[in-house]
Amino acid sequence: GATGNYYATVEKIGAEVARRKGRVHNLSSAGSVENVQRLIAGAKNCKVHFGLVQDGITYPDGHTLEVIGRLPRPESLVILGRNVERIRTPADLKGLRIGIGPVGSGTEHMMRRVLALLEGVDLVASTLPIDQQLVMVERGELDLAAMVLDDEGKLLANAVTQRNLDILQLPDVESLARHLRFARVGVIAAGQMDYVHKLPRKEKKVLQLDALIVSNGCATDGVVQGFMAAVAEVFPTFVRHNKGQANLT
């Protein structure tokens, strides 16, 4: 949606494209799954050219989409709740109510992959907008709220410092990363959201994954080069980060 990390990222890229006398029309969506669908549908009329897509998303057979770059800053799968320190083994998750993001979002797709590895734990999953999930956790109507986001963004900082929610470190998170080949383990530092009050109070290991720039082949080479130059201006380490990267769609 228009409040999400991808939308904000494209706004920054669009501002740089505009500075170069070009134009980017930023389309809001539910997230990565919808972006893939739009890119495939858009290949017929070329009204859509590029999309941001979370790594690990499943593409339909016979697609012609191509990854043309990876943003240098990964996103984190963050699960928020109250009293999360009590969750130390997968069995401690049994029966908990968890929001897994809206239908069609990268959060939902990622969480369904994680839930498949937690077979028998019987988490009660609901597909809800991120903002609604946070309110429901505050009220005690949900136990946990999952989201894939920039862990240095305002949404997470607000959830931790203003809503007083804590970040769950999934049990044996390193093992989860081995089962999810597109993910890796990253760290949210103690005090990252609030240095003075030390929030979060402890270092938290989380699953991280790349955000991909995906093309449907509609844009000319010149347009692609111009767009990528704007991305490189917004993300100074973009070119270095993408050297030697394989196209894995």
Side-chain angles (χ1 to χ4, degrees):
T3 59
N5 183 40
Y6 285 177
Y7 193 88
T9 298
V10 174
E11 284 292 286
K12 292 175 188 173
I13 296 168
E16 177 58 27
V17 169
R19 194 182 70 79
R20 296 163 179 256
K21 311 300 183 191
R23 189 179 71 214
V24 168
H25 184 40
N26 195 358
L27 302 172
S28 66
S29 74
S32 293
V33 175
E34 185 179 333
N35 290 352
V36 168
Q37 293 167 349
R38 280 191 181 185
L39 282 167
I40 291 170
K44 296 168 187 169
N45 55 26
C46 285
K47 289 185 178 179
V48 178
H49 302 81
F50 308 109
L52 290 181
V53 177
Q54 181 179 295
D55 203 356
I57 292 293
T58 304
Y59 295 78
D61 292 339
H63 78 87
T64 56
L65 303 183
E66 180 184 4
V67 174
I68 58 174
R70 292 172 179 264
L71 297 185
R73 187 167 171 71
E75 295 187 292
S76 296
L77 172 64
V78 175
I79 301 175
L80 294 162
R82 297 196 188 281
N83 305 315
V84 298
E85 294 297 327
R86 73 186 191 278
I87 300 170
R88 294 176 182 170
T89 71
D92 295 331
L93 292 163
K94 191 171 182 67
L96 295 185
R97 302 159 299 170
I98 183 169
I100 61 170
V103 173
S105 66
T107 297
E108 184 209 9
H109 188 276
M110 179 66 172
M111 280 306 302
R112 296 225 181 265
R113 301 281 288 267
V114 171
L115 291 173
L117 297 170
L118 292 169
E119 191 178 354
V121 171
D122 299 327
L123 277 159
V124 181
S126 304
T127 48
L128 299 161
I130 300 301
D131 291 343
Q132 186 180 342
Q133 290 184 170
L134 292 171
V135 170
M136 290 176 73
V137 171
E138 274 191 297
R139 291 176 179 167
E141 295 165 4
L142 280 177
D143 299 300
L144 300 167
M147 56 207 74
V148 175
L149 42 56
D150 178 356
D151 65 40
E152 291 187 359
K154 290 181 181 177
L155 181 64
L156 182 57
N158 179 267
V160 172
T161 62
Q162 304 300 314
R163 298 181 188 267
N164 298 314
L165 300 179
D166 200 4
I167 299 165
L168 169 66
Q169 179 170 304
L170 283 166
D172 304 318
V173 67
E174 291 90 352
S175 297
L176 276 178
R178 286 179 177 271
H179 288 282
L180 301 166
R181 294 292 182 181
F182 53 88
R184 58 189 180 275
V185 176
V187 174
I188 295 176
Q192 182 171 312
M193 282 87 208
D194 188 328
Y195 178 69
V196 174
H197 298 100
K198 198 177 180 183
L199 295 173
R201 302 202 179 282
K202 295 180 181 179
E203 172 184 290
K204 304 284 184 171
K205 292 180 181 177
V206 293
L207 291 174
Q208 290 187 331
L209 49 163
D210 285 338
L212 313 176
I213 303 172
V214 178
S215 167
N216 61 5
C218 278
T220 64
D221 288 346
V223 169
V224 172
Q225 288 166 9
F227 184 75
M228 299 298 266
V231 173
E233 188 67 31
V234 174
F235 297 97
T237 61
F238 176 73
V239 174
R240 186 170 74 244
H241 182 72
N242 281 273
K243 281 185 178 175
Q245 291 277 6
N247 178 348
L248 297 176
T249 49

